[in-house]
Amino acid sequence: MLAAAQEPAIQAVVTDSAFAEASSLIREKSSVPGILLPECLLAAKLLYGIDYDQVRPVDVVAKIAPRPLLLIHGTADDLVPFENMLQLAAAARKGHDAHVQTWTLPGMAHVTGIVQDRSEYVQRIVTFFQKALN
């Protein structure tokens, strides 16, 4: 999503279990002790140039419009909570002439849709791209 928001040559986007913004997810789900986490995030910024507070697809997803976007997410995702898809979809729909589709996978965990029903998963994505790129 971050790349598509900046690169108009990307004509359509499919995401599965995407996060809305990185820093709160890291703070919530990290196994690093809370007292050390700010230093680890600072080290990532200083050593690798990664500022996790700036990794916020929710802030730029609307820029993908009018290109089609498909968001896929399982309701039992314990790594990236399902609410992230709802946030991303709401933000994406604010884009001018937005074409946003969501596919909710009831009871499925993080990126398990392809494992649970590979045939339907592949067919839905192929169909999405066929419509989007024609």
Side-chain angles (χ1 to χ4, degrees):
M1 287 181 288
L2 296 171
Q6 294 181 20
E7 179 52 63
I10 298 173
Q11 297 177 22
V13 176
V14 173
T15 71
D16 188 341
S17 305
F19 59 84
E21 53 103 1
S23 63
S24 69
L25 193 62
I26 291 169
R27 286 177 176 83
E28 248 178 63
K29 302 292 182 173
S30 176
S31 60
V32 174
I35 196 163
L36 298 177
L37 193 55
E39 286 76 18
C40 290
L41 294 173
L42 178 60
K45 185 175 181 178
L46 295 174
L47 295 173
Y48 305 107
I50 302 169
D51 184 351
Y52 286 102
D53 289 322
Q54 299 299 314
V55 182
R56 297 179 49 87
V58 71
D59 291 343
V60 298
V61 69
K63 294 179 182 178
I64 294 173
R67 295 163 290 160
L69 171 63
L70 171 60
L71 302 168
I72 304 167
H73 214 112
T75 60
D77 191 332
D78 60 356
L79 183 61
V80 178
F82 177 74
E83 291 74 26
N84 282 258
M85 184 185 82
L86 301 176
Q87 292 171 1
L88 288 166
R93 289 186 175 113
K94 293 178 183 176
H96 177 69
D97 197 23
H99 299 280
V100 180
Q101 296 177 37
T102 59
W103 181 20
T104 300
L105 304 173
M108 293 200 194
H110 190 69
V111 295
T112 58
I114 194 166
V115 176
Q116 294 295 322
D117 191 343
R118 184 178 193 87
S119 178
E120 181 182 6
Y121 191 93
V122 169
Q123 185 57 48
R124 280 198 185 223
I125 292 174
V126 167
T127 299
F128 171 82
F129 279 120
Q130 284 174 334
K131 289 179 182 176
L133 302 176
N134 285 331

